[in-house]
Amino acid sequence: MQSKQSIHGSWANRWIFILAATGSAVGLGNIWKFPYITGENGGGAFVLVYLFCIMLVGIPIMMGEILVGRRARQSPINAVRETAAEAGLNKNWSLIGWLGVLAGYIIFSFYSVVAGWVLHYIAGMGTGQFVDISSDLAGERFTNLLASPDQMLVWHTLFVLMVVGVVAGGVNKGLERATKIMMPALFVLLLVLLGYSVNTGSFGQGWSFLFSFNPEALTWDAVLVALGHAFFTLSLGMGAIMAYGSYMGKKDSIGVTVLTIGVLDTLVALVAGLAIFPVVFANQMDPAAGPGLMFITLPVAFGQMPGGQVFGFLFFLLVGVAAWTSAISLLEPATAWLVERFGLKRLPAALLLGVIVWLMGIASLLSFNHWEEIKLLGMGIFDFLDFITANVMLPLSGLMIAIYSGWMLNKHITRDELALGSNMTYSAWSLVIRFIAPVAVMVIFVVNLYDKLA
Ligand code: PHE
């Protein structure tokens, strides 16, 4: 069991794994969603709660996912089945793997639509279409994009192809190569944008918005949003991290690695906030603009600033790269499973899944226009898919992973994989994964669901 290898390959070294997992974690969640939910929930106090959630729920569950993946060295579905067999448990525990892979796959279908908008904005910024644009016009442009299925289809298709192209290359020639190029590019772009916002934006105002602690702004609802987001941003509960973990070196410490990924992901979210809010404030715009913050507020802000065309273009390029590396990790678990289960080659496996997910994405993009009338539980298709994945499938899958790795797997398996050196650290993990994380997740799950459906 110890010297097992994955048939898909393995990461060249620990840093590649850290970068690949960070590539999965850093995505639209960090750059689009984190800034706007921070904006909506009043800033500093929300950020603090979010950090607690990362530490107490995100990090331990991520360790649980990786240990299962690395133990079995197979796609999530088979990894859970195999570790269950090793621990003498019922093989139906592999349902956890199914749930995760399915959730990731559904998320990919609508994530790709939003990523398509980003590609559209890269082109728009690059060709100067937002120079000196008014708020009204920027709003109208975005509305027009959503009203045009043809335009969205072009960008959605391109994005799916970009992802399939990388996943088809396999772990070493696809994922690893993409990671080596895209992650350094991502960090450089982020620093360039930070420099721009320090020099050109209202940096002090942006800083104090993110870090001044004003507990009055914090509501119970905001705590739930923070907890849910901790999950989404670390790519937990959908097989992505488990699949990546199955390609991880046996000797690398899971604890240290996961901590590094958590810190990097958080840093990127904070730096993204520091790059965005000063630009927003410099143009006297509203930080609480919601999902439109990136697609309406920012283009207007960039359009009015010196050098804004270039930096606006770089900004959307950054978001595009981040979304790309995340989507790759959404397609990988299902692809690995098809290869294992049916002996398919990577290319046909990735293509087949790409075509299905592309069709599903079309349903999402039509829900903004022709299919606007179709409602599931009172929501359009796009919102419904977002809702069942983020609020139902992910928490459920995260909860099951916590229970499975904390309560069900034998101690010798978890201790052997985690090899946490001291007993103290292992006990700390064990305490958090058995009690704190599941209770916290159960709370989001129930309250969130109650809130949405009541
Ligand atoms: N973590 C990614 C983000 O923050 C989203 C994602 C979710 C990626 C699930 C992979 C798997 O945008």
Side-chain angles (χ1 to χ4, degrees):
M1 176 98 344
Q2 300 298 340
S3 58
K4 208 168 190 180
Q5 284 301 324
S6 165
I7 59 164
H8 309 287
S10 53
W11 308 112
N13 57 54
R14 189 166 74 92
W15 272 101
I16 296 285
F17 171 63
I18 291 178
L19 287 181
T22 304
S24 164
V26 171
L28 296 171
N30 302 60
I31 310 177
W32 169 57
K33 205 163 172 198
F34 177 76
Y36 90 70
I37 57 180
T38 302
E40 286 179 335
N41 291 294
F46 174 81
V47 174
L48 200 69
V49 174
Y50 163 79
L51 293 178
F52 270 109
C53 297
I54 293 280
M55 289 299 299
L56 289 178
V57 182
I59 302 265
I61 292 187
M62 190 185 247
M63 290 169 70
E65 277 204 30
I66 294 183
L67 86 84
V68 171
R70 184 170 74 173
R71 185 73 176 180
R73 297 217 175 277
Q74 293 178 43
S75 71
I77 296 167
N78 290 331
V80 182
R81 173 177 305 133
E82 184 146 327
T83 47
E86 191 193 354
L89 302 167
N90 190 307
K91 68 174 192 299
N92 289 335
W93 279 100
S94 64
L95 274 178
I96 302 183
W98 277 106
L99 188 62
V101 171
L102 197 66
Y105 199 62
I106 297 176
I107 290 179
F108 184 17
S109 73
F110 63 82
Y111 200 80
S112 168
V113 173
V114 181
W117 301 344
V118 174
L119 296 183
H120 173 81
Y121 273 75
I122 296 179
M125 283 282 169
T127 49
Q129 286 169 27
F130 290 90
V131 177
D132 266 335
I133 197 172
S134 67
S135 296
D136 288 348
L137 194 56
E140 211 173 290
R141 286 256 174 95
F142 188 54
T143 316
N144 286 346
L145 175 64
L146 297 193
S148 156
D150 303 356
Q151 275 202 59
M152 283 198 280
L153 185 63
V154 171
W155 298 109
H156 162 63
T157 308
L158 178 63
F159 188 76
V160 171
L161 283 174
M162 283 160 54
V163 175
V164 168
V166 174
V167 173
V171 175
N172 297 103
K173 293 207 188 96
L175 274 55
E176 189 164 309
R177 196 186 285 170
T179 300
K180 277 192 197 152
I181 301 169
M182 292 200 268
M183 292 314 287
L186 189 144
F187 291 126
V188 170
L189 281 172
L190 196 61
L191 291 180
V192 168
L193 284 158
L194 181 65
Y196 178 70
S197 120
V198 171
N199 285 312
T200 326
S202 304
F203 194 72
Q205 224 179 328
W207 178 276
S208 64
F209 179 70
L210 275 178
F211 299 115
S212 60
F213 187 73
N214 47 342
E216 323 79 67
L218 200 65
T219 58
W220 176 233
D221 196 44
V223 176
L224 298 179
V225 172
L227 197 49
H229 186 64
F231 245 86
F232 186 81
T233 190
L234 291 178
S235 307
L236 298 178
M238 50 203 112
I241 291 294
M242 196 182 286
Y244 277 21
S246 71
Y247 313 137
M248 180 188 182
K250 183 76 199 172
K251 293 212 183 65
D252 303 338
S253 152
I254 293 182
V256 177
T257 307
V258 167
L259 221 53
T260 316
I261 299 166
V263 169
L264 283 175
D265 181 71
T266 305
L267 272 180
V268 172
L270 294 176
V271 173
L274 283 178
I276 290 173
F277 287 118
V279 171
V280 171
F281 287 124
N283 292 282
Q284 291 86 40
M285 299 189 75
D286 180 14
L293 184 68
M294 188 164 97
F295 295 108
I296 300 170
T297 311
L298 269 187
V300 177
F302 277 122
Q304 292 169 356
M305 298 177 77
Q309 189 182 335
V310 175
F311 287 93
F313 168 73
L314 293 179
F315 175 81
F316 280 97
L317 199 60
L318 164 76
V319 183
V321 171
W324 194 5
T325 53
S326 294
I328 290 168
S329 76
L330 286 170
L331 194 59
E332 175 60 24
T335 308
W337 180 74
L338 271 189
V339 171
E340 285 164 13
R341 178 72 179 73
F342 299 104
L344 291 185
K345 293 240 179 329
R346 293 288 298 205
L347 180 65
L351 257 180
L352 177 66
L353 290 166
V355 170
I356 300 172
V357 93
W358 175 76
L359 287 171
M360 285 162 56
I362 293 179
S364 279
L365 68 82
L366 284 176
S367 73
F368 291 103
N369 35 73
H370 297 322
W371 288 3
E372 219 170 359
E373 309 297 299
I374 302 179
K375 298 281 181 227
L376 302 158
L377 293 180
M379 291 170 262
I381 298 172
F382 180 96
D383 291 332
F384 174 75
L385 293 179
D386 181 17
F387 169 76
I388 51 160
T389 48
N391 295 310
V392 182
M393 296 174 87
L394 298 187
L396 203 60
S397 153
L399 179 65
M400 282 164 69
I401 288 163
I403 293 174
Y404 182 69
S405 63
W407 293 91
M408 305 308 296
L409 283 183
N410 304 348
K411 267 201 162 157
H412 82 262
I413 298 184
T414 48
R415 194 189 288 269
D416 181 28
E417 283 303 322
L418 293 177
L420 284 175
S422 78
N423 271 334
M424 264 262 291
T425 339
Y426 184 77
S427 311
W429 175 77
S430 178
L431 183 80
V432 177
I433 196 88
R434 290 171 141 223
F435 300 100
I436 301 181
V439 170
V441 176
M442 228 152 4
V443 172
I444 359 174
F445 187 51
V446 173
V447 179
N448 228 349
L449 216 55
Y450 179 80
D451 238 34
K452 287 265 165 50
L453 298 178

